[in-house]
Amino acid sequence: MATALITGSARGIGAAIALRLAKDGYNIALNDISEAMFEDNDIMDKIKAEGVECEKFICDVSSYAQVEETVKAVKARFGTIDVLVNNAGITRDGLMARMSEEQYDMVVAVNQKSVFNMSKFVGSVMMRQKSGKIINLASVAGLYGNPGQINYSATKAAIVGMTKTVAKELGSRGITCNAVAPGFIKTPMTDKLTDAQKQAMINQIAMKRYGEVDEIAGVVSFLASKDASYVTGQVIEISGGLMM
Ligand code: NAI
């Protein structure tokens, strides 16, 4: 059976993607930064209820060495890695004038370097398989910019470039690499915004509502499927018409 590895999948969009790919019939390798992230949720039980195998692999995706070990462990456990979803991400928002070096560097490490780490090591497994799908989580912040997010928008714009580069480097081996760019999705990450910030966002969205995590998972499922076999290097915006 094919296997999907989803980073940062204890909660939020990553958990929704993991559950959707389980429903699609993949064995699931979950990942998050600590065991504690899995304590208050039943994501593993929900995935196993779909009749697939599921295991969690704790690692900090910003660490090159930890990712190398984790990818080895996933390959040893499941035999193949057919889908990689680079989902783990953080925000450390602040206007540029007040942003610290630590705030900047941490977001780059977690959101951007992780994509290099994972794509390199999983990409090498996929090259030997001569097949694979890599799907990255970008963001509308990376496409259009967002005040207070110079660090975050830098990483999400970088992911667009990385997606196209990986698509070009690995395309001849039967591997596709695409990105989704969510707009404003209801998750613990966006719950942190003030009511005024939330309303300001909704005013700009054609559909006048936030997105649901399942609406991201559905597009990722498509990109992982045979129907998307000739789609690579693309960025699909999932924002309810935020910018047009
Ligand atoms: P979230 O904060 O609910 O979930 C992110 C998960 O990643 C958490 O479980 C967290 O523990 C994990 N994580 C953080 N650092 C990690 C590390 N170093 N190693 C391993 N795991 C780590 O966030 P959400 O909203 O589900 O976001 C998922 C992805 O979607 C992120 O890449 C985010 O930037 C992107 N996104 C989210 C949007 C939204 O509106 N929520 C909009 C656009 C993009």
Side-chain angles (χ1 to χ4, degrees), residues 8 11 13 32-33 37 60-61 87 138 152 156 182-183 185 187 190:
R11 69 174 194 195
I13 293 172
D32 218 286
I33 187 140
M37 293 304 298
D60 176 351
V61 289
N87 166 82
Y152 184 82
K156 295 302 183 176
I185 311 301
T187 68
T190 49

Side-chain angles (χ1 to χ4, degrees), residues 140-151:
V140 291
L143 303 179
Y144 310 115
N146 199 23
Q149 291 197 315
I150 190 166
N151 50 0

Side-chain angles (χ1 to χ4, degrees), residues 4-193:
L5 164 60
I6 304 102
T7 68
S9 46
R11 69 174 194 195
I13 293 172
I17 292 170
L19 185 56
R20 175 58 197 262
L21 293 178
K23 287 180 199 287
D24 291 345
Y26 290 93
N27 286 330
I28 300 296
L30 294 170
N31 154 263
D32 218 286
I33 187 140
S34 68
E35 196 69 48
M37 293 304 298
F38 289 95
E39 264 161 24
D40 291 329
N41 64 53
D42 52 0
I43 185 64
M44 279 198 83
D45 295 338
K46 282 187 184 157
I47 288 171
K48 285 181 178 163
E50 297 297 327
V52 300
E53 290 179 47
C54 177
E55 198 149 319
K56 48 181 167 5
F57 297 84
I58 303 302
C59 103
D60 176 351
V61 289
S62 70
S63 159
Y64 186 82
Q66 285 186 36
V67 167
E68 183 173 20
E69 285 312 305
T70 297
V71 172
K72 272 190 205 151
V74 175
K75 172 83 168 70
R77 168 67 179 80
F78 291 107
T80 66
I81 308 176
D82 304 280
V83 176
L84 164 66
V85 184
N86 282 312
N87 166 82
I90 58 168
T91 52
R92 292 289 184 274
D93 296 352
L95 292 172
M96 180 172 65
R98 276 187 248 124
M99 185 172 292
S100 68
E101 187 180 5
E102 289 71 27
Q103 262 173 295
Y104 189 86
D105 289 347
M106 174 137 197
V107 172
V108 169
V110 175
N111 295 10
Q112 181 179 330
K113 189 178 174 209
S114 63
V115 175
F116 165 67
N117 295 341
M118 274 287 169
S119 304
K120 173 174 171 170
F121 291 113
V122 175
S124 128
V125 172
M126 289 176 168
M127 279 197 278
R128 285 196 292 274
Q129 292 170 182
K130 295 194 169 50
S131 69
K133 312 263 189 194
I134 299 175
I135 299 147
N136 296 325
L137 269 286
S139 165
V140 291
L143 303 179
Y144 310 115
N146 199 23
Q149 291 197 315
I150 190 166
N151 50 0
Y152 184 82
S153 61
T155 65
K156 295 302 183 176
I159 286 171
V160 171
M162 295 167 94
T163 299
K164 294 177 185 190
T165 299
V166 172
K168 286 182 175 178
E169 287 194 11
L170 304 188
S172 65
R173 308 293 189 96
I175 299 161
T176 65
C177 182
N178 293 287
V180 294
F184 190 64
I185 311 301
K186 257 193 275 181
T187 68
M189 185 183 268
T190 49
D191 284 347
K192 287 189 291 193
L193 299 178

